[in-house]
Amino acid sequence: DGGITQSPKYLFRKEGQNVTLSCEQNLNHDAMYWYRQDPGQGLRLIYYSQIVNDFQKGDIAEGYSVSREKKESFPLTVTSAQKNPTAFYLCASTPGSYGYTFGSGTRLTVV
Amino acid sequence: GDSVTQMEGPVTLSEEAFLTINCTYTATGYPSLFWYVQYPGEGLQLLLKATKADDKGSNKGFEATYRKETTSFHLEKGSVQVSDSAVYFCALTANQAGTALIFGKGTTLSVSS
């Protein structure tokens, strides 16, 4: 079945460490997105990519980086510059304006 | 910029009660409107959507009508079940290919038997 796979489900980061969250889709969708979810804050857009080798900053891009070398993959790196990275991260994709599909999320905790 | 405002929770109901979760939006043009549901520890699932004014989206007993005159998309269900307990998000997107979803802050629903 087609879908989005996020890994790992749980991730622990030490202070000053970079970590990368994986997002892979086999839906042949052009556009992919990363959101951050905090309690009571809803989902906020970090980065998005509408085509391979191109991406744009969302509302809260500081301290994060992405790449889009393949259509299927859109990894998110949480850098040491992100001062409060503990959150639930969701990846999504869409072929157009409708039919957004979400992954099951990665919960990142700073230890 | 575009935004979504939904009622704050938590909303606590008894089984078989009527549910309304209010959602209003601000947007230029004619956005598409969505309701998503999130169960604990999981991603988001599309509950229903409407793409133009006066459209009614419906699924699993939930429904919402796109009201352009009041810029609203309120979620309703006539008789909630314990299994409906979850977080509900109202969202919009501009009708352009690849545009990101913009979400409200979510409303937690808790249904007791």
Side-chain angles (χ1 to χ4, degrees), chain A residues 49-101:
Chain A
S49 168
Q50 295 179 322
I51 55 172
V52 175
N53 292 322
D54 189 41
F55 48 82
Q56 289 78 40
K57 293 181 179 180
D59 300 320
I60 56 165
E62 185 175 352
Y64 300 96
S65 65
V66 294
S67 63
R68 187 85 187 276
E69 297 177 0
K70 299 185 301 182
K71 190 174 187 178
E72 302 79 17
S73 179
F74 191 41
L76 173 74
T77 297
V78 184
T79 75
S80 58
Q82 171 50 241
K83 297 307 178 188
N84 185 22
T86 295
F88 190 53
Y89 291 87
L90 284 162
C91 180
S93 71
T94 182
S97 297
Y98 315 120
Y100 295 82
T101 300

Side-chain angles (χ1 to χ4, degrees), chain A residues 33-44:
Chain A
Y33 311 84
W34 274 106
Y35 289 91
R36 169 178 171 144
Q37 184 178 12
D38 297 282
Q41 295 293 319
L43 279 75
R44 293 180 289 170

Side-chain angles (χ1 to χ4, degrees), chain A residues 17-51:
Chain A
Q17 191 177 47
N18 292 357
V19 292
T20 297
L21 285 61
S22 172
C23 177
E24 303 277 335
Q25 53 102 355
N26 60 3
L27 300 165
N28 199 35
H29 287 175
D30 288 316
M32 298 186 72
Y33 311 84
W34 274 106
Y35 289 91
R36 169 178 171 144
Q37 184 178 12
D38 297 282
Q41 295 293 319
L43 279 75
R44 293 180 289 170
L45 183 66
I46 305 173
Y47 268 99
Y48 64 102
S49 168
Q50 295 179 322
I51 55 172

